[in-house]
Short mmCIF file of all heavy atoms in Angstrom, two decimals:
data_model
loop_
_atom_site.label_atom_id
_atom_site.label_comp_id
_atom_site.label_asym_id
_atom_site.label_seq_id
_atom_site.Cartn_x
_atom_site.Cartn_y
_atom_site.Cartn_z
N MET U 1 -1.56 14.31 -2.31
CA MET U 1 -0.63 13.48 -3.06
C MET U 1 -1.44 12.89 -4.17
O MET U 1 -2.56 12.40 -3.99
CB MET U 1 -0.08 12.44 -2.13
CG MET U 1 0.97 11.63 -2.75
SD MET U 1 1.86 10.54 -1.54
CE MET U 1 3.18 11.62 -1.03
N GLN U 2 -0.87 12.87 -5.37
CA GLN U 2 -1.51 12.29 -6.56
C GLN U 2 -1.18 10.79 -6.65
O GLN U 2 -0.17 10.33 -6.14
CB GLN U 2 -1.08 13.02 -7.79
CG GLN U 2 -1.56 14.48 -7.80
CD GLN U 2 -1.13 15.11 -9.13
OE1 GLN U 2 -0.37 14.58 -9.87
NE2 GLN U 2 -1.69 16.30 -9.32
N ILE U 3 -2.02 10.02 -7.38
CA ILE U 3 -1.85 8.67 -7.52
C ILE U 3 -0.53 8.31 -8.18
O ILE U 3 0.17 7.29 -7.81
CB ILE U 3 -3.03 7.99 -8.33
CG1 ILE U 3 -2.96 6.51 -8.30
CG2 ILE U 3 -3.08 8.46 -9.74
CD1 ILE U 3 -3.28 5.90 -6.99
N LYS U 4 -0.04 9.12 -9.09
CA LYS U 4 1.28 8.86 -9.72
C LYS U 4 2.38 8.90 -8.72
O LYS U 4 3.39 8.14 -8.76
CB LYS U 4 1.55 9.79 -10.88
CG LYS U 4 1.71 11.22 -10.53
CD LYS U 4 2.03 12.11 -11.73
CE LYS U 4 2.26 13.53 -11.26
NZ LYS U 4 2.72 14.33 -12.42
N ASP U 5 2.32 9.83 -7.71
CA ASP U 5 3.30 9.91 -6.59
C ASP U 5 3.22 8.68 -5.77
O ASP U 5 4.27 8.14 -5.32
CB ASP U 5 3.08 11.18 -5.79
CG ASP U 5 3.13 12.45 -6.62
OD1 ASP U 5 3.93 12.50 -7.59
OD2 ASP U 5 2.35 13.41 -6.37
N ILE U 6 1.99 8.23 -5.44
CA ILE U 6 1.85 7.02 -4.58
C ILE U 6 2.42 5.82 -5.30
O ILE U 6 3.13 5.04 -4.67
CB ILE U 6 0.33 6.86 -4.28
CG1 ILE U 6 -0.09 8.06 -3.37
CG2 ILE U 6 0.11 5.52 -3.58
CD1 ILE U 6 -1.60 8.06 -3.18
N LEU U 7 2.10 5.68 -6.53
CA LEU U 7 2.58 4.48 -7.27
C LEU U 7 4.13 4.47 -7.37
O LEU U 7 4.76 3.49 -7.35
CB LEU U 7 1.94 4.41 -8.62
CG LEU U 7 0.42 4.11 -8.56
CD1 LEU U 7 -0.19 4.08 -10.00
CD2 LEU U 7 0.14 2.80 -7.83
N GLU U 8 4.71 5.67 -7.53
CA GLU U 8 6.22 5.82 -7.61
C GLU U 8 6.76 5.36 -6.25
O GLU U 8 7.82 4.70 -6.23
CB GLU U 8 6.57 7.21 -7.93
CG GLU U 8 8.00 7.50 -8.15
CD GLU U 8 8.50 6.66 -9.30
OE1 GLU U 8 7.82 6.46 -10.32
OE2 GLU U 8 9.71 6.13 -9.21
N ILE U 9 6.16 5.71 -5.15
CA ILE U 9 6.66 5.27 -3.85
C ILE U 9 6.60 3.78 -3.74
O ILE U 9 7.52 3.14 -3.25
CB ILE U 9 5.84 5.93 -2.70
CG1 ILE U 9 6.12 7.46 -2.63
CG2 ILE U 9 6.10 5.27 -1.35
CD1 ILE U 9 5.19 8.20 -1.74
N GLU U 10 5.53 3.16 -4.21
CA GLU U 10 5.43 1.73 -4.21
C GLU U 10 6.42 1.08 -5.13
O GLU U 10 6.94 -0.02 -4.81
CB GLU U 10 4.00 1.31 -4.59
CG GLU U 10 2.95 1.57 -3.51
CD GLU U 10 3.17 0.75 -2.26
OE1 GLU U 10 3.53 -0.40 -2.37
OE2 GLU U 10 2.98 1.33 -1.18
N LYS U 11 6.78 1.66 -6.24
CA LYS U 11 7.77 1.06 -7.13
C LYS U 11 9.17 1.08 -6.62
O LYS U 11 10.00 0.38 -7.02
CB LYS U 11 7.77 1.85 -8.47
CG LYS U 11 6.56 1.53 -9.34
CD LYS U 11 6.63 2.28 -10.63
CE LYS U 11 5.38 2.20 -11.44
NZ LYS U 11 5.47 2.97 -12.65
N GLN U 12 9.50 1.95 -5.62
CA GLN U 12 10.85 2.15 -5.17
C GLN U 12 11.27 1.04 -4.14
O GLN U 12 12.27 1.21 -3.50
CB GLN U 12 11.02 3.53 -4.55
CG GLN U 12 10.89 4.61 -5.54
CD GLN U 12 10.95 5.95 -4.88
OE1 GLN U 12 10.96 6.07 -3.68
NE2 GLN U 12 10.98 7.00 -5.72
N ARG U 13 10.54 -0.02 -4.07
CA ARG U 13 10.89 -1.12 -3.12
C ARG U 13 12.00 -1.95 -3.78
O ARG U 13 11.76 -2.76 -4.65
CB ARG U 13 9.71 -2.02 -2.86
CG ARG U 13 8.61 -1.31 -2.20
CD ARG U 13 7.41 -2.17 -2.08
NE ARG U 13 6.32 -1.55 -1.46
CZ ARG U 13 6.15 -1.54 -0.09
NH1 ARG U 13 6.98 -2.17 0.70
NH2 ARG U 13 5.15 -0.85 0.46
N GLY U 14 13.22 -1.73 -3.37
CA GLY U 14 14.32 -2.45 -4.00
C GLY U 14 14.86 -3.54 -3.14
O GLY U 14 14.88 -4.72 -3.61
N ASP U 15 15.25 -3.31 -1.94
CA ASP U 15 15.87 -4.32 -1.11
C ASP U 15 14.84 -5.08 -0.31
O ASP U 15 13.66 -4.66 -0.26
CB ASP U 15 16.90 -3.72 -0.15
CG ASP U 15 16.31 -2.67 0.77
OD1 ASP U 15 15.13 -2.44 0.76
OD2 ASP U 15 17.10 -2.03 1.44
N SER U 16 15.20 -6.18 0.21
CA SER U 16 14.25 -7.09 0.90
C SER U 16 13.67 -6.44 2.15
O SER U 16 12.57 -6.71 2.56
CB SER U 16 14.90 -8.41 1.27
OG SER U 16 15.99 -8.18 2.12
N SER U 17 14.39 -5.57 2.83
CA SER U 17 13.91 -4.94 4.13
C SER U 17 12.74 -4.01 3.78
O SER U 17 11.85 -3.91 4.64
CB SER U 17 15.03 -4.18 4.82
OG SER U 17 15.46 -3.15 4.06
N SER U 18 12.76 -3.30 2.71
CA SER U 18 11.68 -2.37 2.38
C SER U 18 10.43 -3.14 1.83
O SER U 18 9.37 -2.53 1.79
CB SER U 18 12.14 -1.34 1.35
OG SER U 18 12.36 -1.98 0.08
N LYS U 19 10.56 -4.37 1.53
CA LYS U 19 9.39 -5.08 1.00
C LYS U 19 8.38 -5.41 2.12
O LYS U 19 7.26 -5.86 1.83
CB LYS U 19 9.84 -6.37 0.29
CG LYS U 19 10.50 -6.10 -1.01
CD LYS U 19 10.79 -7.33 -1.78
CE LYS U 19 11.56 -6.92 -3.00
NZ LYS U 19 10.96 -7.32 -4.24
N MET U 20 8.81 -5.35 3.36
CA MET U 20 7.87 -5.67 4.47
C MET U 20 7.34 -4.41 5.17
O MET U 20 6.71 -4.41 6.19
CB MET U 20 8.57 -6.47 5.50
CG MET U 20 8.98 -7.90 5.04
SD MET U 20 7.48 -8.80 4.33
CE MET U 20 6.60 -9.12 5.74
N VAL U 21 7.47 -3.25 4.47
CA VAL U 21 6.94 -1.96 4.95
C VAL U 21 5.61 -1.71 4.34
O VAL U 21 5.44 -1.87 3.10
CB VAL U 21 7.97 -0.80 4.65
CG1 VAL U 21 7.34 0.48 5.03
CG2 VAL U 21 9.32 -1.02 5.36
N ILE U 22 4.67 -1.29 5.09
CA ILE U 22 3.31 -0.98 4.60
C ILE U 22 3.22 0.53 4.53
O ILE U 22 3.34 1.22 5.61
CB ILE U 22 2.24 -1.58 5.44
CG1 ILE U 22 2.29 -3.13 5.42
CG2 ILE U 22 0.85 -1.09 4.99
CD1 ILE U 22 1.32 -3.78 6.36
N HIS U 23 3.00 1.09 3.41
CA HIS U 23 2.74 2.52 3.29
C HIS U 23 1.19 2.74 3.30
O HIS U 23 0.48 2.18 2.49
CB HIS U 23 3.26 3.03 1.90
CG HIS U 23 4.75 2.97 1.78
ND1 HIS U 23 5.36 2.10 0.92
CD2 HIS U 23 5.77 3.52 2.43
CE1 HIS U 23 6.65 2.22 0.99
NE2 HIS U 23 6.94 3.12 1.92
N LEU U 24 0.79 3.62 4.24
CA LEU U 24 -0.62 3.97 4.28
C LEU U 24 -0.72 5.48 3.96
O LEU U 24 0.07 6.26 4.45
CB LEU U 24 -1.17 3.67 5.66
CG LEU U 24 -1.23 2.24 6.11
CD1 LEU U 24 -1.63 2.12 7.53
CD2 LEU U 24 -2.13 1.44 5.19
N PHE U 25 -1.69 5.75 3.09
CA PHE U 25 -1.88 7.16 2.64
C PHE U 25 -3.26 7.67 3.13
O PHE U 25 -4.23 6.98 2.91
CB PHE U 25 -1.79 7.26 1.14
CG PHE U 25 -0.47 6.75 0.60
CD1 PHE U 25 -0.29 5.41 0.27
CD2 PHE U 25 0.59 7.61 0.54
CE1 PHE U 25 0.92 4.98 -0.24
CE2 PHE U 25 1.85 7.20 0.08
CZ PHE U 25 1.97 5.91 -0.31
N LYS U 26 -3.29 8.86 3.71
CA LYS U 26 -4.54 9.47 4.20
C LYS U 26 -5.23 10.11 3.02
O LYS U 26 -4.73 11.08 2.52
CB LYS U 26 -4.30 10.40 5.35
CG LYS U 26 -5.53 10.94 5.92
CD LYS U 26 -5.25 11.71 7.26
CE LYS U 26 -6.47 12.33 7.77
NZ LYS U 26 -7.29 11.56 8.51
N GLU U 27 -6.31 9.58 2.67
CA GLU U 27 -7.21 10.16 1.61
C GLU U 27 -8.54 10.30 2.13
O GLU U 27 -9.36 9.35 2.10
CB GLU U 27 -7.17 9.24 0.35
CG GLU U 27 -5.77 9.17 -0.29
CD GLU U 27 -5.83 8.28 -1.50
OE1 GLU U 27 -6.88 7.80 -1.89
OE2 GLU U 27 -4.75 8.19 -2.11
N GLY U 28 -8.81 11.44 2.71
CA GLY U 28 -10.11 11.62 3.30
C GLY U 28 -10.08 11.05 4.75
O GLY U 28 -9.05 11.11 5.39
N SER U 29 -11.18 10.38 5.09
CA SER U 29 -11.21 9.77 6.45
C SER U 29 -10.43 8.50 6.52
O SER U 29 -9.77 8.27 7.55
CB SER U 29 -12.73 9.54 6.71
OG SER U 29 -12.84 8.66 7.78
N PRO U 30 -10.61 7.56 5.53
CA PRO U 30 -9.83 6.28 5.75
C PRO U 30 -8.36 6.38 5.31
O PRO U 30 -7.98 7.27 4.55
CB PRO U 30 -10.59 5.29 4.85
CG PRO U 30 -11.08 6.15 3.78
CD PRO U 30 -11.43 7.50 4.42
N LEU U 31 -7.62 5.43 5.78
CA LEU U 31 -6.22 5.32 5.29
C LEU U 31 -6.28 4.29 4.11
O LEU U 31 -7.02 3.30 4.21
CB LEU U 31 -5.28 4.80 6.37
CG LEU U 31 -5.06 5.74 7.53
CD1 LEU U 31 -4.22 5.11 8.62
CD2 LEU U 31 -4.34 7.04 7.09
N ARG U 32 -5.48 4.57 3.11
CA ARG U 32 -5.49 3.61 1.97
C ARG U 32 -4.09 3.06 1.70
O ARG U 32 -3.03 3.72 1.94
CB ARG U 32 -5.99 4.29 0.73
CG ARG U 32 -7.37 4.70 0.86
CD ARG U 32 -7.92 5.31 -0.44
NE ARG U 32 -9.30 5.67 -0.24
CZ ARG U 32 -10.15 5.76 -1.21
NH1 ARG U 32 -9.86 5.42 -2.45
NH2 ARG U 32 -11.37 6.13 -0.97
N ALA U 33 -4.02 1.87 1.22
CA ALA U 33 -2.87 1.20 0.82
C ALA U 33 -2.94 0.81 -0.71
O ALA U 33 -4.08 0.49 -1.17
CB ALA U 33 -2.57 -0.01 1.68
N TYR U 34 -1.88 0.91 -1.40
CA TYR U 34 -1.83 0.62 -2.78
C TYR U 34 -0.79 -0.45 -3.09
O TYR U 34 0.24 -0.58 -2.34
CB TYR U 34 -1.55 1.84 -3.63
CG TYR U 34 -2.63 2.87 -3.56
CD1 TYR U 34 -2.62 3.83 -2.58
CD2 TYR U 34 -3.64 2.84 -4.52
CE1 TYR U 34 -3.64 4.81 -2.56
CE2 TYR U 34 -4.63 3.81 -4.50
CZ TYR U 34 -4.66 4.78 -3.50
OH TYR U 34 -5.56 5.71 -3.43
N GLU U 35 -0.98 -1.16 -4.21
CA GLU U 35 0.03 -2.09 -4.75
C GLU U 35 0.47 -3.08 -3.65
O GLU U 35 -0.25 -3.78 -3.10
CB GLU U 35 1.16 -1.34 -5.36
CG GLU U 35 0.80 -0.48 -6.50
CD GLU U 35 0.48 -1.18 -7.80
OE1 GLU U 35 1.14 -2.21 -8.05
OE2 GLU U 35 -0.41 -0.77 -8.57
N TRP U 36 1.80 -3.16 -3.45
CA TRP U 36 2.44 -4.04 -2.55
C TRP U 36 1.96 -3.85 -1.11
O TRP U 36 1.76 -4.81 -0.36
CB TRP U 36 3.98 -3.98 -2.64
CG TRP U 36 4.67 -5.03 -1.83
CD1 TRP U 36 5.31 -4.88 -0.66
CD2 TRP U 36 4.87 -6.42 -2.20
NE1 TRP U 36 5.83 -6.04 -0.23
CE2 TRP U 36 5.61 -7.03 -1.22
CE3 TRP U 36 4.51 -7.15 -3.35
CZ2 TRP U 36 5.96 -8.34 -1.24
CZ3 TRP U 36 4.85 -8.48 -3.41
CH2 TRP U 36 5.58 -9.06 -2.29
N SER U 37 1.75 -2.60 -0.73
CA SER U 37 1.29 -2.28 0.65
C SER U 37 -0.11 -2.92 0.85
O SER U 37 -0.39 -3.42 1.95
CB SER U 37 1.23 -0.82 0.88
OG SER U 37 2.57 -0.30 0.92
N ALA U 38 -0.93 -2.78 -0.14
CA ALA U 38 -2.26 -3.41 -0.02
C ALA U 38 -2.23 -4.93 0.14
O ALA U 38 -2.95 -5.48 0.92
CB ALA U 38 -3.09 -3.04 -1.25
N TRP U 39 -1.36 -5.54 -0.66
CA TRP U 39 -1.17 -6.97 -0.51
C TRP U 39 -0.68 -7.43 0.86
O TRP U 39 -1.19 -8.32 1.43
CB TRP U 39 -0.12 -7.48 -1.59
CG TRP U 39 -0.09 -8.95 -1.54
CD1 TRP U 39 -0.86 -9.92 -2.17
CD2 TRP U 39 0.91 -9.70 -0.78
NE1 TRP U 39 -0.46 -11.16 -1.85
CE2 TRP U 39 0.60 -11.10 -1.04
CE3 TRP U 39 1.97 -9.39 -0.03
CZ2 TRP U 39 1.42 -12.13 -0.46
CZ3 TRP U 39 2.76 -10.42 0.59
CH2 TRP U 39 2.43 -11.71 0.29
N LEU U 40 0.29 -6.61 1.40
CA LEU U 40 0.76 -6.90 2.72
C LEU U 40 -0.32 -6.76 3.77
O LEU U 40 -0.43 -7.58 4.72
CB LEU U 40 1.97 -5.97 3.11
CG LEU U 40 3.24 -6.26 2.41
CD1 LEU U 40 4.26 -5.08 2.69
CD2 LEU U 40 3.87 -7.57 2.77
N CYS U 41 -1.17 -5.77 3.63
CA CYS U 41 -2.26 -5.58 4.61
C CYS U 41 -3.23 -6.77 4.50
O CYS U 41 -3.61 -7.31 5.53
CB CYS U 41 -3.06 -4.32 4.27
SG CYS U 41 -2.18 -2.75 4.81
N CYS U 42 -3.55 -7.19 3.32
CA CYS U 42 -4.52 -8.31 3.18
C CYS U 42 -3.91 -9.59 3.69
O CYS U 42 -4.58 -10.45 4.23
CB CYS U 42 -4.89 -8.49 1.72
SG CYS U 42 -5.94 -7.17 1.07
N ARG U 43 -2.64 -9.79 3.56
CA ARG U 43 -1.96 -11.00 3.90
C ARG U 43 -1.64 -11.12 5.41
O ARG U 43 -1.76 -12.20 6.00
CB ARG U 43 -0.63 -11.14 3.04
CG ARG U 43 0.18 -12.33 3.35
CD ARG U 43 -0.53 -13.62 2.78
NE ARG U 43 0.35 -14.72 2.83
CZ ARG U 43 0.44 -15.61 3.83
NH1 ARG U 43 -0.45 -15.55 4.83
NH2 ARG U 43 1.26 -16.59 3.81
N PHE U 44 -1.22 -10.04 6.00
CA PHE U 44 -0.66 -10.06 7.36
C PHE U 44 -1.38 -9.29 8.43
O PHE U 44 -1.19 -9.52 9.60
CB PHE U 44 0.76 -9.57 7.38
CG PHE U 44 1.66 -10.43 6.52
CD1 PHE U 44 2.21 -10.01 5.32
CD2 PHE U 44 2.05 -11.73 6.96
CE1 PHE U 44 3.03 -10.79 4.53
CE2 PHE U 44 2.80 -12.53 6.20
CZ PHE U 44 3.32 -12.11 4.97
N VAL U 45 -2.29 -8.40 8.06
CA VAL U 45 -3.01 -7.59 9.03
C VAL U 45 -4.43 -8.28 9.21
O VAL U 45 -5.18 -8.35 8.28
CB VAL U 45 -3.16 -6.14 8.64
CG1 VAL U 45 -3.96 -5.35 9.64
CG2 VAL U 45 -1.76 -5.53 8.42
N SER U 46 -4.73 -8.65 10.43
CA SER U 46 -6.04 -9.22 10.67
C SER U 46 -7.10 -8.24 10.68
O SER U 46 -6.85 -7.06 10.97
CB SER U 46 -6.00 -10.08 12.00
OG SER U 46 -5.77 -9.22 13.09
N ASP U 47 -8.35 -8.59 10.41
CA ASP U 47 -9.48 -7.72 10.39
C ASP U 47 -9.34 -6.52 9.43
O ASP U 47 -9.70 -5.40 9.76
CB ASP U 47 -9.79 -7.19 11.80
CG ASP U 47 -10.10 -8.28 12.77
OD1 ASP U 47 -10.71 -9.30 12.32
OD2 ASP U 47 -9.85 -8.14 13.95
N PHE U 48 -8.72 -6.86 8.36
CA PHE U 48 -8.52 -5.80 7.31
C PHE U 48 -9.48 -6.07 6.11
O PHE U 48 -9.63 -7.25 5.68
CB PHE U 48 -7.11 -5.84 6.77
CG PHE U 48 -6.80 -4.72 5.76
CD1 PHE U 48 -6.54 -3.49 6.21
CD2 PHE U 48 -6.81 -5.05 4.40
CE1 PHE U 48 -6.26 -2.50 5.20
CE2 PHE U 48 -6.52 -4.05 3.52
CZ PHE U 48 -6.23 -2.77 3.91
N LYS U 49 -10.25 -5.12 5.72
CA LYS U 49 -11.20 -5.32 4.59
C LYS U 49 -10.62 -4.66 3.38
O LYS U 49 -10.36 -3.47 3.35
CB LYS U 49 -12.52 -4.68 4.98
CG LYS U 49 -13.55 -4.84 3.88
CD LYS U 49 -14.87 -4.13 4.25
CE LYS U 49 -15.80 -4.21 3.05
NZ LYS U 49 -16.99 -3.43 3.27
N ALA U 50 -10.44 -5.44 2.32
CA ALA U 50 -9.95 -4.95 1.06
C ALA U 50 -11.15 -4.57 0.20
O ALA U 50 -12.17 -5.27 0.09
CB ALA U 50 -9.14 -5.99 0.37
N THR U 51 -11.05 -3.37 -0.45
CA THR U 51 -12.03 -2.98 -1.43
C THR U 51 -11.33 -2.74 -2.78
O THR U 51 -10.39 -1.95 -2.79
CB THR U 51 -12.76 -1.66 -0.93
OG1 THR U 51 -13.29 -1.90 0.37
CG2 THR U 51 -13.79 -1.20 -1.88
N TRP U 52 -11.83 -3.35 -3.80
CA TRP U 52 -11.20 -3.19 -5.10
C TRP U 52 -11.95 -2.12 -5.87
O TRP U 52 -13.16 -2.14 -5.99
CB TRP U 52 -11.27 -4.50 -5.85
CG TRP U 52 -10.69 -5.63 -5.09
CD1 TRP U 52 -11.29 -6.57 -4.38
CD2 TRP U 52 -9.26 -5.90 -4.94
NE1 TRP U 52 -10.39 -7.40 -3.82
CE2 TRP U 52 -9.13 -7.01 -4.11
CE3 TRP U 52 -8.06 -5.21 -5.38
CZ2 TRP U 52 -7.89 -7.51 -3.72
CZ3 TRP U 52 -6.89 -5.78 -5.07
CH2 TRP U 52 -6.80 -6.93 -4.20
N ILE U 53 -11.13 -1.11 -6.35
CA ILE U 53 -11.73 -0.11 -7.14
C ILE U 53 -11.11 0.00 -8.53
O ILE U 53 -10.10 -0.56 -8.75
CB ILE U 53 -11.63 1.30 -6.42
CG1 ILE U 53 -10.18 1.55 -6.03
CG2 ILE U 53 -12.56 1.33 -5.23
CD1 ILE U 53 -9.99 2.95 -5.49
#
């Protein structure tokens, strides 16, 4: 999956119920979260390490 596809998925959050969904994408060994999903992980998932690239 390309980054433009991932960002499009993140942009499609319209209603309030989808705003609490975390999308994780398998890119190699680790799972990655982008945009709103990354924020949700940092805010609500304990023992989560954020790496800014």
Side-chain angles (χ1 to χ4, degrees):
M1 187 172 268
Q2 294 183 348
I3 190 70
K4 66 178 184 174
D5 301 325
I6 292 169
L7 294 177
E8 187 61 36
I9 290 170
E10 287 295 319
K11 285 182 187 176
Q12 293 176 354
R13 297 176 180 271
D15 58 9
S16 60
S17 63
S18 69
K19 290 189 185 237
M20 294 306 291
V21 174
I22 297 174
H23 296 112
L24 296 173
F25 300 93
K26 186 168 172 85
E27 295 182 359
S29 164
L31 295 174
R32 293 187 182 206
Y34 293 89
E35 300 284 327
W36 188 258
S37 292
W39 183 84
L40 288 171
C41 285
C42 289
R43 179 72 171 95
F44 297 108
V45 179
S46 62
D47 298 330
F48 182 81
K49 180 182 176 188
T51 304
W52 304 101
I53 54 173

